[in-house]
Amino acid sequence: MHSSKIILSVMAITAITTVVAPRAQAQMNENYVGVSGGVSIGNSVTDFELGLDGRYKIPRSDFSARASFSPLRTVSIQATGTYDFSLGKGIGAYAGAGVLVGEFTSPVIQAGVETKLGKNTVLYGGVDYITRSGQGVVAKIGVGYSF
């Protein structure tokens, strides 16, 4: 049951990014801040998630520092380091790991995609696997302001 929800979430994020990506105008080298929404699946519970997210592209490298703040249910902060790679003009993907701190602390594995929609707009989505037993997966999609 939970795996089907995870698969559907990943498929939705991929489909939306694939449809929007051909309109992208530049490589994904920008920093951005954004707002995201999604679902958290774990502990036999599915919850809505809301997040404030940020990406800092480390100059002259293929790495970024990312952070997410979730104000719902229990306040949590997630910090990750990611390896970034290009999927084409204006489309980037990332994979990395970090830590989630809140009601509990857990290592996190993160993967996602991002695309530039216009001069200062980014669409992004991803999946975070929270490795603490029973905590599960967070799938989210968001829109951000790039600078």
Side-chain angles (χ1 to χ4, degrees), residues 3-146:
S3 62
S4 64
K5 290 179 183 178
I6 294 168
I7 292 168
L8 288 174
S9 298
V10 171
M11 288 173 57
I13 290 167
T14 302
I16 290 169
T17 303
T18 302
V19 168
V20 174
R23 299 184 196 146
Q25 297 176 359
Q27 296 292 359
M28 279 301 306
N29 289 318
E30 292 83 6
N31 302 315
Y32 62 82
V33 293
V35 177
S36 63
V39 294
S40 172
I41 305 165
N43 274 342
S44 303
V45 177
T46 301
D47 289 318
F48 176 74
E49 292 286 331
L50 177 67
L52 302 173
D53 310 301
R55 173 197 188 210
Y56 173 72
K57 175 75 173 149
I58 299 171
R60 296 177 300 283
S61 79
D62 292 328
F63 297 94
S64 291
R66 298 173 189 269
S68 296
F69 170 73
S70 180
L72 296 182
R73 293 176 305 143
T74 59
V75 174
S76 64
I77 297 172
Q78 178 177 309
T80 55
T82 60
Y83 176 77
D84 306 325
F85 49 97
S86 177
L87 296 178
K89 184 175 180 177
I91 308 165
Y94 57 90
V99 64
L100 173 74
V101 178
E103 180 181 9
F104 57 86
T105 300
S106 174
V108 175
I109 299 169
Q110 181 180 65
V113 292
E114 52 203 3
T115 186
K116 191 133 169 100
L117 295 179
K119 183 177 178 182
N120 295 105
T121 307
V122 175
L123 176 68
Y124 59 95
V127 177
D128 299 337
Y129 174 65
I130 303 167
T131 63
R132 181 175 171 189
S133 178
Q135 294 304 312
V137 173
V138 176
K140 65 182 178 180
I141 189 164
V143 63
Y145 173 78
S146 65

